[in-house]
Amino acid sequence: MCEVTIVIPNYNGRKYLVPCLEALYGMTAVDMEVVVVDNGSEDQSIEEAERLYPQVRYMLLDKNYGFCRAVNEGIQASRTEYVLLLNNDTEIKKGFVENLLRTIKKSPKIFSVESKMIQYGNHNLIDSAGTYYNALGWAFARGRDSSAGKYNRRSRTFAACAGAAIYRKSVFEEIGGFDENYFAYLEDIDMGYRARIYGYINLYEPKAEVIHVGSAASGSRYNEFKTMYSARNNIYLIYKNMPWPQILLNLPVLTAGFLAKAVFFWKKGLGRVYLKSLADGFVMCQSRDKLAYKKDHLQNYVQIQKELWVNMIRRFS
């Protein structure tokens, strides 16, 4: 019987999907089911994958609904206790699936485990060694552009990068799946944040290594699409997950953080896009619900707030 379901979202990923599947089947020894959820691709990527890997289950959506809808479809269709999300622009290393499985089984309080992501363009550099969020309103990947030989200890992380991470399906059933309002970007921070509010933990496992192209769908690290959704979604992320007293507590540093980002993106030629998208985020919040505050979660909110402050230091260290 399968131990884990691998869910791979795909959108026009002809360049990446087959190598992703080739590495997955070539480097994994455990029983698994692989589900590719396609967001209405038009580049023949699914036809090519079906010809070479007919054992994969393919779920074909009629158009591009975004990352969140795609992975939610795959998670709901899974029949295993654990679900591993894997971007199509990744190539796993040997032991990747096994090490993630071994770690998440250590405690029922573990919701997710993120892998060590290595840059595709330079295998000597880290793409992500843990995903964090801080009181400035900044999400960041620990260790990005550092030596791949670093960050070799398992540790807690704020959330898991959904590009290559394993999750406990029963927790999705308890707290809900990925929020499809995001479409793309910061949805994994939101998912990890929500799990933390409910008292679960997220881990980073360095023995699970994967090569990651990064921004394969959007084109580059900084572009209009990514800037637009990241800025809009960040406003929504704060509004949704922070109770009003916590928002007021963080407002001075949040304001400083957004101003610093505005300057950064202005220098990149994306300042107008960033500021307009922040405004769109405020408009978006007017028609969305906040996560209901529960007194039973107070201690979890306190712990999260401590980490938001600590992560400001971590971001610059």
Side-chain angles (χ1 to χ4, degrees), residues 84-250:
L84 198 161
L85 304 185
L86 190 64
N87 278 4
N88 63 355
D89 63 339
T90 58
E91 294 181 24
I92 71 165
K93 292 191 175 184
K94 189 173 183 179
F96 171 83
V97 176
E98 291 85 346
N99 281 305
L100 290 179
L101 266 173
R102 188 177 302 115
T103 300
I104 199 170
K105 288 178 178 180
K106 289 182 178 296
S107 168
K109 298 303 291 181
I110 300 172
F111 168 55
S112 68
V113 184
E114 176 179 351
S115 62
K116 186 176 190 178
M117 304 178 80
I118 309 298
Q119 293 183 21
Y120 180 86
N122 186 339
H123 293 189
N124 294 316
L125 298 179
I126 289 172
D127 190 48
S128 177
T131 301
Y132 293 86
Y133 190 69
N134 66 24
L136 290 162
W138 297 357
F140 61 97
R142 184 180 66 159
R144 176 166 289 172
D145 297 328
S146 298
S147 168
K150 298 176 65 176
Y151 300 102
N152 291 322
R153 295 180 62 182
R154 183 187 304 135
S155 59
R156 291 196 181 193
T157 185
F158 190 87
C161 174
I166 195 169
Y167 297 82
R168 191 177 301 274
K169 187 180 180 182
S170 60
V171 180
F172 284 123
E173 294 167 350
E174 177 186 356
I175 70 175
F178 284 84
D179 186 340
E180 294 176 19
N181 289 307
Y182 284 88
F183 188 81
Y185 299 112
L186 297 183
E187 73 289 325
D188 44 10
I189 298 287
D190 174 81
M191 192 75 250
Y193 203 136
R194 200 179 337 145
R196 296 292 308 282
I197 291 170
Y198 277 76
Y200 293 96
I201 63 174
N202 306 299
L203 296 180
Y204 159 72
E205 176 49 71
K207 292 183 179 179
E209 294 189 349
V210 61
I211 307 300
H212 182 224
V213 174
S215 300
S218 60
S220 62
R221 185 174 289 189
Y222 303 111
N223 55 69
E224 285 196 14
F225 178 88
K226 187 172 182 178
T227 302
M228 177 179 67
Y229 279 104
S230 295
R232 186 202 70 168
N233 291 347
N234 206 2
I235 297 296
Y236 176 52
L237 173 72
I238 294 164
Y239 166 80
K240 176 185 173 182
N241 292 291
M242 287 188 186
W244 287 114
Q246 189 178 19
I247 291 177
L248 291 174
L249 175 66
N250 289 302

Side-chain angles (χ1 to χ4, degrees), residues 271-287:
R272 293 184 187 275
V273 173
Y274 179 75
L275 293 174
K276 181 183 182 302
S277 300
L278 289 181
D280 290 342
F282 285 105
V283 173
M284 178 181 176
C285 292
Q286 294 176 16
S287 59

Side-chain angles (χ1 to χ4, degrees), residues 295-304 306:
K295 289 190 293 184
D296 292 346
H297 296 159
L298 177 58
Q299 188 57 45
N300 300 331
Y301 281 110
V302 171
Q303 181 58 39
I304 288 169
K306 290 178 182 178

